[in-house]
Amino acid sequence: MKSTHLSPDPQSVKVRQDDKATETMDGSDKRKEKTLGVGFFQLFRFATWDDNIMMVVGSLCALVHGAAFPLMLLVYGMMTDIFVAYELEYRELADPNKTCINNTITWTNGSVVGMADNRTLHCGVDIEAQMTLFAYYYIGIGLGVLILSYFQIDLWVSAAARQTQRIRKTYFRKIMCMEIGWFDCTSVGELNTRISDDINKINNAIADQVPIFIERLSTFTFGFLVGFAGGWKLTLVVIAVSPLIGLAAGLMAKAVAGLTGRELHAYAKAGAIADEVLSSIRTVAAFGGEDKETERYDRNLVEAQTWGVKKGMITGIFMGSMWCIIFLCYALAFWYGSKLVIDTQELTPGTLIQVFFGVLTGALSLGQASPCLEAFASGRAAAKSIFDTIDRMPEIDCFTEEGHKLDKVKGDIEFHNVHFSYPSRPDVKILNDLNLVVRSGETTAFVGPSGSGKSTVVQLIQRFYDPQQGMVTLDGHDIRSLNIQWLRSLIGIVEQEPALFATTISENIRYSQPGVTMEEIIQAAKEANAYNFIMALPQKFDTLVGKAGNQMSGGQKQRIAIARALVRKPRVLLLDMATSALDNETEAIVQEALDKARMGRTTITIAHRLSTVHNADVIVGFEHGSAVERGSHAELLEKKGVYFTLVTLQNQGSDASNFETTNIYETSVLEHDGFETTSFSRGSSISTLRSQSQSCKHRHDDTSEVKFNPGSFRMDTVKKTKNIDDDDDAKEVIESAPLARILKYNQPEWPYLFLGSLGAAINGSVNPIYALLFSQILGTFSITDLDEQRRQINGICVLFLIVGFMSFFSQFLQGFAFAKSGELLTRRLRKVGFQAMLRQEIGWYDDPKNSPGALTTRLATDASMVQGATGSQIGMILNSLMNIGASLIIAYYFSWKLSLVMTCFLPLIGLSGVFQAKMLTGFANEDKKAMEEAGQVSSEAIANIRTIAGLAKEGQFVSMYEQQLEVPYKAAKKKAHVYGIFFAFAKCVVFMAYAASYRYGGYLVNHEGLHYVIVFRVISAIVISGTALGRASSFTPDYAKAKIAAQQFFTLMDRVPRISLTQTEGVRWTNFKGKIEFKNCCFTYPSRPDVQVLRGLGVVVEPGQTLAFVGSSGCGKSTSVQLLERFYDPDQGQVLIDGHPSHGVNVCFLRSKIGIVSQEPVLFNCTIAENIQYGDNSRSISMEEVIEASKKAYLHDFVMSLPDKYKTQVGAQGSQLSRGQKQRIAIARAIVRNPKILLLDEATSALDTESEKIVQAALDEARQGRTCIVIAHRLSTIQTADVIAVMSQGAVIEQGTHEELMAKKAAYYKLVTTGAPIS
């Protein structure tokens, strides 16, 4: 997240209002608590008519389904009365003097038997016929349930899938149309997390949870109705206590929702860190920052862990109180109910059961509805930030149709009194009262020191931002009044660090202008001088450029970007240092291409290298955010202002007036055809027949060129890549991890796990005990002695009380202990997983499967899924097992025959759960894979938003993303049906089981004299164990998911990196001198095995010497640096350091001796001081050393001018600083390391002349007494080098000092004479 706390309070409040989700300020947390979620019905704001109808019908089904159980209670009540009546009759008729006449018990002498209370006793109960009737009732109810529950699930899950699909689309579309300022204040990692996890949470809240919730509410209502119908007094007594249960449930849901919000927030921060680190893995590796980054990531995990543990504790307390209240309720109800049966005879035993269970199932359903509330609460919390974004009106909406489109565009651009500061740093003024005119058809060049606002002007012309005051006009129209897509379609832009998309070269060029033909693409490539190098690639225009274009060299990326800008034939051409990444020769050619392209267009060029701008029509000098001078080259030289200073500095002592003549000479040289020999043009550089290049023994003459037959070779690579893909598919089948290994990671928490398991075991035994007590109460009603009856009932009620209090403690124990162990495990896994990622060699990250987006997602989701297999899940499973065990023992002990009949149904009850789980895991896997693909599209789009906005391609990315969503969407719809079928089956089986077992129970009572209490005891015990089994199997999906996730984790952990980072492996030595030798090195990048980059590179640098690599882009200069850093190892040949082969040297030791400053330095989202301290992660670095280093890097004065000095946040990827400032921080970072070897990979190319002088001086100072390897396109910076090696096609073609090489008059001489200093 960009630092908002640079700003004074009023503005930071504005940023918070813009996007509450990204705030990290403590003060605002208090205010934020009030608005943690959106209203529940707002979750359905994306439902259409169809969805509404589906949801209404589904709800009705759920409503009726909910009434099924209370209905069954009526049957159950009648059945109980019949059993009690039968038992009484049986006891009476056991007396040989009594007999049954006309359904009344009489003495054998014919007089009617009278009871103590003068009632007559009825007899003649045909128990089997009655039971058959009841069995039919049960079957009828069961079939109804089957149909209703299928529709309730199917309709809701389908409707939810459709809405989630819409939310994803709308959210992504909204993100894509936000103005750039919004992205400055929101981190990419956080947006990716929201797109994946948070929308899933919304889906959980609006899918199957809603009908289940409605069904439970319906059971609650009908349960109470059944109660009132049976006996209102008892119902009222029970109801009086029930609100306590509801209250506990409600409070729990509220607390959990709040804590979930907090936990999500903390994880989003950790995710942003992981994303940042994985995106800049090369820098982390070069500076040995792996451990430091792991610590930083872990610090953010601690916060999430705390919230998670609190959540577990609170859940435990509330669950405990709920169960405790329920048991107290039992005691009260049975005690009072028995009074009503025995003393006042208002109830029969059957109605007592009916009333009690009616109210109880009602209250319990209310309690069971609480997990649904939890899902709703997390859905609402997650929806908050998503809907906030969807509702936020972008300040500059790129999808709007509004605004004029001018019929004829001349191309006059004017700035009137423009004031501007970036939204992420409102207190730093960038443009200060800028007035500026750019005439149509002219080329206007902007020059000035870094940070003077040149690039900002370009962004304002593209309308990435709107000025705070003043206006920008095109042909006299305020650009705010013009249609934005149309405006951007007029503009072609080439940036210094162009972003390419992970697709083919031709697609990248086509992005600029949909519908261009292949001819036009080829034409544009020729104009940008990219055609030759593209045709030399095996797949030509169909070559993939890799993530962010990382398979291409800087110069190749730049030329593709120029072709992309030219293909749209823009009216206005913006060149923001468009040639800075090119070597001299390419630059001269591209410059010529650009000069051609500029004809008849309004062109704005920003360049630090003044030789590229002196032939502009108008040159504008910038300083401190305003244009201080304008005129032609000659006029400005006379003025002796900003421009004059820059020119004098750049010409290194050659007179300013002399400047023009040298340039006339240069351009004339360019016009000679003869200068295009192939040894340097990129065209021949990739003659990549594997067979020829394998030996590496090419002779390189100036004109060496290897021909090959493109056709045959291309077939070859296609085949090769196909095999590779096949292997990948084979590997994709992921086994699940053994539980033992997962638990091993949880080992340190064994005391918690033990306590939790103890609690779970006690909780599991509670229900079977209840079955015993319950049937015992039914038994008391057939006792004829009233005093004995009362005494037994009171005893049973006391037992209920004891069970209640026991339950409170065990629930709390289970909740707290498992939350603690689970959260500790999740944190440990995330940390260990992150460490494992950072341990891999760099080549591993080149695999598109391991893109930062995919890895961050895996860290976030896999670890929390693994927690599913341990922690609370173990608790639930133990609970269920204990429950099943105790129930079965009780049942079989009392009647094995009836138990057997009941047990036949158990597998069905259990299996339906298992099947449901199996199906769902299959779906989860497909979903995850498909969502990861969509995630790659979204993270690429968000990361390159500036480029996309400049090309006005937001729409295309939106449609690509929507296309990727189709697969998971279809799967979700299929899932709805399957889930519905299994859910319905599971619900209906119970009723069938009742039908069979009570019928058989009647038979046993009749024929084998079984006591009816035992029938109830056995059946309730087994039904309880069945529900427990169902519960246990419903955890299997989580459990299976967890095992698969864990396996992915372990695969990552077990992967042995090709280049090991351990402290122990490899040699170290004490007097490290820094002699470097490349011996016949051959190398291809693992991700592009068919393109040979180095072919027999050989060069030696003595300790303390400076070696400079020069050569056209893509000839392997940067690759050699990566081999030295051991990011990769050569395929053949060796890199020797002090005579030791690099692959035998300890990696950490080697890297600790190397400092690197690269062309596009990566800074981390922390303060300037912390970024400099990053230079040496092996010790803690004092502020004195930081200041010392920044003085050497000429950075100190600039830092002291900032409001927060060294505590200034640099923003994500250093975006709050200009390039020159970033570069100097990177140099300070390298100096702090005090390395023996210094690598400068085009360290000054991004700087303007003034900064470059300063930085060059800093680098010269840093080079003293160190071995140094410099890569530079700008030759003036390397003339002092001890050895200059000219590279071409991956080998050195000549080497020597500047003087020696100039005398040779070969390749180097030509490079020096053909161009001005060029980066």
Side-chain angles (χ1 to χ4, degrees):
M1 198 193 109
K2 295 279 172 75
S3 69
T4 33
H5 49 252
L6 277 180
S7 50
D9 211 53
Q11 275 132 329
S12 62
V13 174
K14 174 178 179 299
V15 178
R16 287 173 211 166
Q17 285 161 346
D18 276 359
D19 191 359
K20 295 216 178 72
T22 58
E23 54 193 289
T24 52
M25 277 98 5
D26 300 331
S28 55
D29 275 1
K30 306 278 181 290
R31 269 169 297 184
K32 203 178 145 201
E33 279 169 29
K34 289 177 194 151
T35 52
L36 266 177
V38 301
F40 177 67
F41 288 105
Q42 278 177 291
L43 289 176
F44 300 101
R45 51 188 269 194
F46 289 94
T48 58
W49 265 107
D50 300 1
D51 299 337
N52 284 328
I53 290 170
M54 286 165 78
M55 293 190 296
V56 168
V57 174
S59 306
L60 286 174
C61 290
L63 203 68
V64 181
H65 174 195
F69 197 80
L71 193 68
M72 192 189 82
L73 286 177
L74 294 174
V75 182
Y76 198 75
M78 297 190 285
M79 198 173 69
T80 311
D81 279 342
I82 286 189
F83 269 128
V84 171
Y86 179 80
E87 178 67 22
L88 283 170
E89 175 188 342
Y90 182 75
R91 286 200 179 170
E92 290 296 327
L93 293 179
D95 183 342
N97 298 323
K98 296 176 186 175
T99 180
C100 184
I101 302 169
N102 296 336
N103 291 348
T104 311
I105 292 183
T106 51
W107 294 104
T108 31
N109 62 15
S111 62
V112 175
V113 175
M115 295 290 286
D117 47 9
N118 299 325
R119 279 182 303 161
T120 54
L121 280 178
H122 297 285
C123 61
V125 180
D126 180 354
I127 192 123
E128 288 199 60
Q130 292 285 347
M131 287 301 141
T132 310
L133 179 65
F134 289 139
Y136 287 138
Y137 286 157
Y138 280 136
I139 289 173
I141 298 175
L143 290 175
V145 166
L146 182 72
I147 295 161
L148 292 169
S149 50
Y150 168 72
F151 281 111
Q152 111 188 20
I153 290 291
D154 181 51
L155 293 172
W156 268 96
V157 175
S158 308
R162 296 168 52 155
Q163 291 169 66
T164 310
Q165 176 81 336
R166 252 172 253 131
I167 293 177
R168 276 189 213 282
K169 287 181 175 175
T170 317
Y171 183 57
F172 187 66
R173 169 172 283 264
K174 194 51 174 250
I175 289 180
M176 292 311 284
C177 78
M178 286 299 179
E179 76 278 7
I180 302 293
W182 182 80
F183 286 95
D184 290 347
C185 308
T186 316
S187 84
V188 179
E190 199 168 327
L191 286 176
N192 285 337
T193 311
R194 296 212 184 290
I195 289 179
S196 55
D197 300 2
D198 290 8
I199 295 184
N200 285 343
K201 290 199 172 74
I202 299 180
N203 184 39
N204 292 342
I206 61 177
D208 53 343
Q209 295 295 334
V210 186
I212 291 174
F213 183 70
I214 293 174
E215 172 205 325
R216 286 176 179 161
L217 279 188
S218 152
T219 307
F220 163 73
T221 320
F222 284 105
F224 275 55
L225 288 176
V226 165
F228 276 113
W232 60 271
K233 282 186 184 171
L234 180 58
T235 308
L236 282 179
V237 169
V238 180
I239 284 182
V241 203
S242 314
L244 289 173
I245 302 177
L247 187 74
L251 283 174
M252 173 164 104
K254 197 172 157 58
V256 166
L259 293 171
T260 308
R262 297 279 176 69
E263 196 179 4
L264 281 178
H265 191 88
Y267 274 139
K269 285 202 302 207
I273 288 174
D275 196 59
E276 179 182 39
V277 173
L278 295 170
S279 305
S280 18
I281 185 68
R282 282 182 160 77
T283 308
V284 175
F287 287 102
E290 290 91 356
D291 296 344
K292 193 175 192 168
E293 292 305 349
T294 311
E295 280 315 302
R296 183 159 77 111
Y297 180 61
D298 193 40
R299 277 202 300 279
N300 275 282
L301 293 178
V302 176
E303 189 186 340
Q305 172 193 318
T306 326
W307 291 120
V309 174
K310 282 188 182 161
K311 193 165 84 174
M313 261 171 70
I314 286 179
T315 317
I317 288 176
F318 283 123
M319 286 296 286
S321 16
M322 235 158 67
W323 277 103
C324 181
I325 294 167
I326 288 173
F327 276 102
L328 299 184
C329 228
Y330 284 166
L332 178 67
F334 282 133
W335 176 77
Y336 181 63
S338 60
K339 281 225 173 313
L340 293 179
V341 175
I342 300 166
D343 299 347
T344 61
Q345 291 177 2
E346 289 170 48
L347 298 177
T348 65
T351 41
L352 165 64
I353 295 295
Q354 170 191 324
V355 169
F356 178 68
F357 276 108
V359 177
L360 186 78
T361 43
L364 264 184
S365 308
L366 203 58
Q368 281 172 337
S370 65
C372 304
L373 290 176
E374 190 179 330
F376 299 157
S378 10
R380 286 169 48 199
K384 175 85 179 108
S385 56
I386 287 177
F387 288 176
D388 277 353
T389 304
I390 289 178
D391 294 336
R392 181 179 182 277
M393 286 314 296
E395 285 163 30
I396 303 171
D397 182 357
C398 62
F399 286 138
T400 178
E401 292 302 317
E402 290 166 15
H404 307 297
K405 301 183 180 179
L406 309 178
D407 300 331
K408 187 166 173 302
V409 179
K410 259 177 70 187
D412 285 331
I413 299 171
E414 290 187 47
F415 281 67
H416 301 277
N417 307 30
V418 172
H419 290 261
F420 177 72
S421 49
Y422 285 106
S424 51
R425 280 200 302 176
D427 57 336
V428 178
K429 199 150 210 186
I430 306 288
L431 296 183
N432 197 354
D433 197 22
L434 171 70
N435 285 296
L436 173 68
V437 180
V438 178
R439 297 244 152 68
S440 84
E442 289 189 344
T443 297
T444 307
F446 293 168
V447 296
S450 270
S452 59
K454 305 184 297 294
S455 297
T456 307
V457 171
V458 170
Q459 302 205 42
L460 288 179
I461 294 174
Q462 288 177 281
R463 216 179 148 211
F464 284 173
Y465 303 94
D466 282 338
Q468 275 94 10
Q469 281 169 283
M471 64 174 180
V472 183
T473 63
L474 173 69
D475 292 352
H477 298 266
D478 184 340
I479 61 169
R480 283 176 286 204
S481 68
L482 300 174
N483 177 291
I484 190 161
Q485 291 273 3
W486 174 81
L487 170 72
R488 288 180 183 165
S489 73
L490 301 175
I491 300 174
I493 178 156
V494 183
E495 291 159 299
Q496 181 186 11
E497 301 166 13
L500 299 183
F501 299 103
T503 169
T504 62
I505 294 179
S506 58
E507 279 306 305
N508 264 299
I509 298 176
R510 188 173 285 127
Y511 266 128
S512 178
Q513 189 74 3
V516 291
T517 61
M518 203 56 210
E519 286 68 50
E520 291 174 278
I521 290 181
I522 291 173
Q523 183 52 38
K526 283 180 177 160
E527 285 178 24
N529 188 32
Y531 183 72
N532 290 352
F533 93 76
I534 294 175
M535 295 315 280
L537 294 167
Q539 266 120 22
K540 307 197 170 44
F541 278 94
D542 293 332
T543 308
L544 291 168
V545 300
K547 186 180 162 58
N550 59 12
Q551 305 288 334
M552 299 281 145
S553 74
Q556 293 168 344
K557 287 204 305 205
Q558 199 90 53
R559 283 177 279 171
I560 294 172
I562 294 172
R564 179 168 69 187
L566 295 181
V567 84
R568 73 194 310 180
K569 307 195 172 59
R571 292 292 311 131
V572 178
L573 192 56
L574 306 175
L575 306 173
D576 187 353
M577 310 202 207
T579 55
S580 64
L582 306 183
D583 54 87
N584 287 6
E585 197 157 339
T586 323
E587 201 258 358
I589 298 168
V590 171
Q591 193 59 49
E592 200 177 338
L594 290 174
D595 289 344
K596 269 197 302 207
R598 295 197 316 225
M599 292 306 172
R601 295 192 168 112
T602 308
T603 308
I604 295 179
T605 313
I606 297 180
H608 286 321
R609 221 150 339 126
L610 304 179
S611 57
T612 56
V613 303
H614 76 275
N615 56 358
D617 302 312
V618 179
I619 297 172
V620 179
F622 274 78
E623 204 170 25
H624 305 310
S626 44
V628 289
E629 57 182 17
R630 73 176 272 136
S632 68
H633 173 66
E635 290 165 21
L636 291 183
L637 286 183
E638 281 165 26
K639 275 198 188 165
K640 298 209 171 2
V642 178
Y643 185 65
F644 178 78
T645 338
L646 293 171
V647 171
T648 344
L649 279 166
Q650 204 163 57
N651 268 7
Q652 276 183 312
S654 70
D655 290 327
S657 52
N658 206 8
F659 185 79
E660 288 172 82
T661 49
T662 50
N663 273 301
I664 294 162
Y665 166 58
E666 285 156 12
T667 28
S668 62
V669 176
L670 291 183
E671 282 154 14
H672 281 296
D673 287 348
F675 121 91
E676 287 212 13
T677 49
T678 49
S679 62
F680 275 87
S681 82
R682 193 71 182 87
S684 62
S685 67
I686 310 183
S687 332
T688 54
L689 261 172
R690 223 39 203 291
S691 57
Q692 289 172 316
S693 57
Q694 214 53 51
S695 62
C696 283
K697 292 198 175 68
H698 270 167
R699 282 194 53 242
H700 283 284
D701 300 318
D702 261 10
T703 51
S704 71
E705 186 161 346
V706 186
K707 291 268 190 266
F708 61 91
N709 171 355
S712 62
F713 179 64
R714 189 151 171 203
M715 271 307 295
D716 217 44
T717 31
V718 173
K719 276 190 205 129
K720 216 183 302 175
T721 45
K722 189 166 174 355
N723 290 344
I724 295 172
D725 288 352
D726 290 351
D727 292 354
D728 276 5
D729 287 349
K731 267 186 274 183
E732 265 314 298
V733 184
I734 292 180
E735 296 300 306
S736 59
L739 180 65
R741 182 164 176 191
I742 303 177
L743 284 178
K744 213 168 96 188
Y745 274 94
N746 226 164
Q747 209 170 9
E749 284 78 48
W750 73 264
Y752 290 116
L753 286 173
F754 175 72
L755 283 176
S757 310
L758 188 70
I762 298 174
N763 287 333
S765 58
V766 164
N767 279 332
I769 293 175
Y770 155 79
L772 272 175
L773 297 178
F774 159 68
S775 54
Q776 206 49 51
I777 281 194
L778 287 183
T780 57
F781 291 121
S782 62
I783 297 174
T784 38
D785 176 0
L786 296 185
D787 292 331
E788 173 61 19
Q789 204 175 358
R790 289 198 185 97
R791 200 177 57 70
Q792 282 204 14
I793 286 177
N794 292 345
I796 295 171
C797 289
V798 171
L799 284 175
F800 269 129
L801 292 178
I802 295 169
V803 173
F805 288 118
M806 184 175 80
S807 174
F808 173 76
F809 288 110
S810 58
Q811 283 283 0
F812 170 72
L813 198 64
Q814 181 182 345
F816 167 71
F818 281 127
K820 182 88 177 167
S821 72
E823 290 294 331
L824 285 168
L825 173 74
T826 310
R827 174 181 158 201
R828 180 173 305 121
L829 282 179
R830 283 195 174 152
K831 182 177 172 179
V832 167
F834 189 58
Q835 261 170 332
M837 286 175 186
L838 294 186
R839 212 176 45 223
Q840 303 307 326
E841 78 279 4
I842 302 293
W844 184 74
Y845 290 92
D846 294 344
D847 182 341
K849 281 212 293 285
N850 302 322
S851 68
L855 293 178
T856 319
T857 314
R858 270 172 51 192
L859 272 180
T861 50
D862 287 3
S864 48
M865 277 184 186
V866 176
Q867 187 189 344
T870 65
S872 50
Q873 291 290 1
I874 297 183
M876 303 291 191
I877 289 168
L878 263 172
N879 187 330
S880 304
L881 288 178
M882 184 72 183
N883 201 329
I884 294 168
S887 304
L888 290 179
I889 290 169
I890 290 173
Y892 276 93
Y893 175 74
F894 286 107
S895 163
W896 63 270
K897 288 185 182 169
L898 184 55
S899 301
L900 266 181
V901 172
M902 268 309 271
T903 314
C904 295
F905 285 94
L906 270 187
L908 290 178
I909 297 176
L911 274 178
S912 61
V914 174
F915 269 131
Q916 193 173 323
K918 271 271 180 288
M919 303 302 295
L920 290 181
T921 22
F923 287 131
N925 280 349
E926 287 170 28
D927 272 12
K928 191 173 166 194
K929 220 175 133 107
M931 283 316 302
E932 252 181 26
E933 281 169 18
Q936 278 180 0
V937 173
S938 65
S939 70
E940 181 177 39
I942 296 168
N944 300 328
I945 186 68
R946 275 186 156 75
T947 308
I948 293 172
L951 297 171
K953 269 292 146 287
E954 295 92 349
Q956 185 169 342
F957 270 87
V958 171
S959 50
M960 266 166 63
Y961 182 68
E962 290 179 355
Q963 235 172 329
Q964 293 287 1
L965 288 178
E966 280 311 301
V967 181
Y969 171 56
K970 289 201 177 93
K973 282 169 53 175
K974 194 170 100 189
K975 173 166 104 182
H977 306 312
V978 179
Y979 181 19
I981 291 168
F982 284 111
F983 179 80
F985 180 67
K987 289 286 186 189
C988 141
V989 166
V990 180
F991 291 97
M992 303 304 165
Y994 274 152
S997 43
Y998 278 114
R999 173 70 192 80
Y1000 183 59
Y1003 170 82
L1004 289 178
V1005 170
N1006 201 9
H1007 292 279
E1008 300 195 2
L1010 189 67
H1011 195 290
Y1012 77 94
V1013 171
I1014 291 176
V1015 176
F1016 278 103
R1017 182 169 297 164
V1018 169
I1019 292 179
S1020 51
I1022 289 199
V1023 166
I1024 283 171
S1025 72
T1027 49
L1029 198 123
R1031 250 204 325 247
S1033 59
S1034 75
F1035 296 125
T1036 43
D1038 285 1
Y1039 182 65
K1041 274 190 221 163
K1043 285 175 71 169
I1044 288 174
Q1047 187 50 47
Q1048 286 185 329
F1049 239 88
F1050 296 146
T1051 316
L1052 175 63
M1053 317 270 300
D1054 299 340
R1055 183 180 184 278
V1056 178
R1058 295 206 179 108
I1059 297 173
S1060 160
L1061 288 183
T1062 52
Q1063 293 293 341
T1064 46
E1065 278 180 47
V1067 289
R1068 302 157 173 258
W1069 57 96
T1070 41
N1071 54 344
F1072 188 94
K1073 297 196 180 63
K1075 176 181 178 182
I1076 303 167
E1077 183 176 357
F1078 289 92
K1079 270 182 119 171
N1080 201 19
C1081 291
C1082 294
F1083 179 70
T1084 56
Y1085 282 103
S1087 51
R1088 278 197 305 170
D1090 52 345
V1091 176
Q1092 183 105 18
V1093 184
L1094 296 183
R1095 322 155 167 224
L1097 169 69
V1099 67
V1100 183
V1101 199
E1102 294 300 330
Q1105 277 193 342
T1106 296
L1107 161 71
F1109 278 127
V1110 294
S1112 57
S1113 51
C1115 66
K1117 303 185 297 293
S1118 298
T1119 306
S1120 56
V1121 169
Q1122 302 207 40
L1123 291 184
L1124 181 57
E1125 278 273 12
R1126 270 202 86 194
F1127 288 165
Y1128 303 95
D1129 280 338
D1131 302 337
Q1132 286 183 350
Q1134 296 180 311
V1135 180
L1136 299 176
I1137 292 116
D1138 284 2
H1140 299 271
S1142 65
H1143 55 80
V1145 180
N1146 180 288
V1147 178
C1148 303
F1149 168 73
L1150 173 61
R1151 287 183 187 162
S1152 70
K1153 302 294 182 197
I1154 301 178
I1156 185 165
V1157 182
S1158 51
Q1159 181 184 4
E1160 301 167 13
V1162 173
L1163 299 184
F1164 295 98
N1165 192 353
C1166 46
T1167 64
I1168 293 181
E1170 287 166 335
N1171 267 300
I1172 296 175
Q1173 286 164 335
Y1174 204 86
D1176 194 344
N1177 289 310
S1178 57
R1179 58 196 177 98
S1180 74
I1181 291 173
S1182 64
M1183 261 330 273
E1184 286 71 45
E1185 285 179 81
V1186 169
I1187 292 171
E1188 181 62 25
S1190 40
K1191 281 182 178 158
K1192 282 187 185 159
Y1194 295 89
L1195 172 75
H1196 184 67
D1197 300 340
F1198 151 69
V1199 176
M1200 297 315 280
S1201 69
L1202 292 169
D1204 293 343
K1205 315 229 176 348
Y1206 281 96
K1207 291 210 169 59
T1208 307
Q1209 291 283 340
V1210 301
Q1213 296 163 353
S1215 55
Q1216 305 284 333
L1217 302 173
S1218 77
R1219 293 175 187 134
Q1221 293 156 359
K1222 291 206 290 202
Q1223 202 83 51
R1224 281 178 283 167
I1225 291 178
I1227 292 169
R1229 176 168 70 186
I1231 292 175
V1232 152
R1233 198 172 177 74
N1234 192 11
K1236 284 279 189 285
I1237 300 175
L1238 191 59
L1239 306 177
L1240 306 174
D1241 188 352
E1242 301 187 31
T1244 58
S1245 67
L1247 306 184
D1248 56 89
T1249 314
E1250 208 163 330
S1251 320
E1252 197 217 343
K1253 278 286 151 302
I1254 299 174
V1255 171
Q1256 194 55 51
L1259 290 175
D1260 290 342
E1261 190 168 320
R1263 288 196 333 219
Q1264 298 307 315
R1266 297 190 166 106
T1267 308
C1268 186
I1269 294 185
V1270 184
I1271 294 178
H1273 284 322
R1274 213 174 311 177
L1275 302 179
S1276 61
T1277 57
I1278 56 163
Q1279 291 174 1
T1280 55
D1282 302 301
V1283 183
I1284 296 175
V1286 185
M1287 283 183 74
S1288 171
Q1289 302 175 32
V1292 173
I1293 51 173
E1294 57 178 23
Q1295 51 178 311
T1297 61
H1298 174 69
E1299 288 73 23
E1300 290 166 15
L1301 293 177
M1302 288 304 279
K1304 266 194 190 170
K1305 298 230 163 153
Y1308 179 73
Y1309 173 78
K1310 201 174 80 239
L1311 268 181
V1312 174
T1313 49
T1314 50
I1318 287 167
S1319 69

